[in-house]
Amino acid sequence: MSHSTVKAELDRLTAEFFAAFDNRDGRRADVDRLRRLMLPGGVIVVTGPRYLAHTVEEFVAPRELLLSDGRLTDFHEWETSEHTDIADGIACRIGEYRKSGVLDGEPYEGTGTKTFQFVRTPDGWRISAFAWHDRA
């Protein structure tokens, strides 16, 4: 598989990751898709403003609730820049992102950095880990 083909697949996988949280215009966020995008034993870490490490289930469950209970509406986040390194069946991506929505009736916006670790499995590329740091 060519480098450009792999890069396009990783771009698609990353876009699908960000789209999982989108509940704009009354749509239902599909946070469950993270279970399909990630390896079951994947590691998820937030470094700031407060450090926490999660399993996939520990990460997904509260976000499913937050994005469906009416507290966080019109939410989406998107990548604004990225750099991806690919070597054989592994890849690493680091990028900046923005997010926007309405949290508890108030406008909510922020920026941060996310990094993804990807692995090529027999079923295609999957996320083995991701970490992020929110700046605002």
Side-chain angles (χ1 to χ4, degrees), residues 13-35:
L13 188 59
T14 303
E16 191 173 346
F17 170 89
F18 281 105
F21 304 97
D22 191 335
N23 71 353
R24 291 177 292 174
D25 302 321
R27 78 174 58 109
R28 182 185 152 296
D30 184 14
V31 183
D32 183 56
R33 89 171 63 176
L34 297 178
R35 293 180 178 102

Side-chain angles (χ1 to χ4, degrees), residues 30-85:
D30 184 14
V31 183
D32 183 56
R33 89 171 63 176
L34 297 178
R35 293 180 178 102
R36 297 184 302 274
L37 299 176
M38 294 195 69
L39 295 178
V43 177
I44 302 162
V45 176
V46 57
T47 62
R50 188 174 137 234
Y51 175 86
L52 286 170
H54 305 276
T55 65
V56 174
E57 289 307 313
E58 290 168 342
F59 178 79
V60 169
R63 281 151 186 86
E64 283 178 318
L65 179 62
L66 179 64
L67 290 161
S68 66
D69 71 359
R71 286 193 54 223
L72 181 57
T73 59
D74 291 319
F75 182 79
H76 72 294
E77 59 181 16
W78 63 99
E79 195 172 55
T80 58
S81 66
E82 60 82 18
H83 174 82
T84 303
D85 289 318

Side-chain angles (χ1 to χ4, degrees), residues 100-129:
S100 178
V102 177
L103 179 61
D104 295 327
E106 298 294 324
Y108 173 72
E109 292 191 6
T111 63
T113 303
K114 275 197 171 83
T115 182
F116 295 90
Q117 300 294 314
F118 300 102
V119 295
R120 186 172 36 227
T121 74
D123 297 321
W125 286 92
R126 297 292 184 270
I127 300 167
S128 60

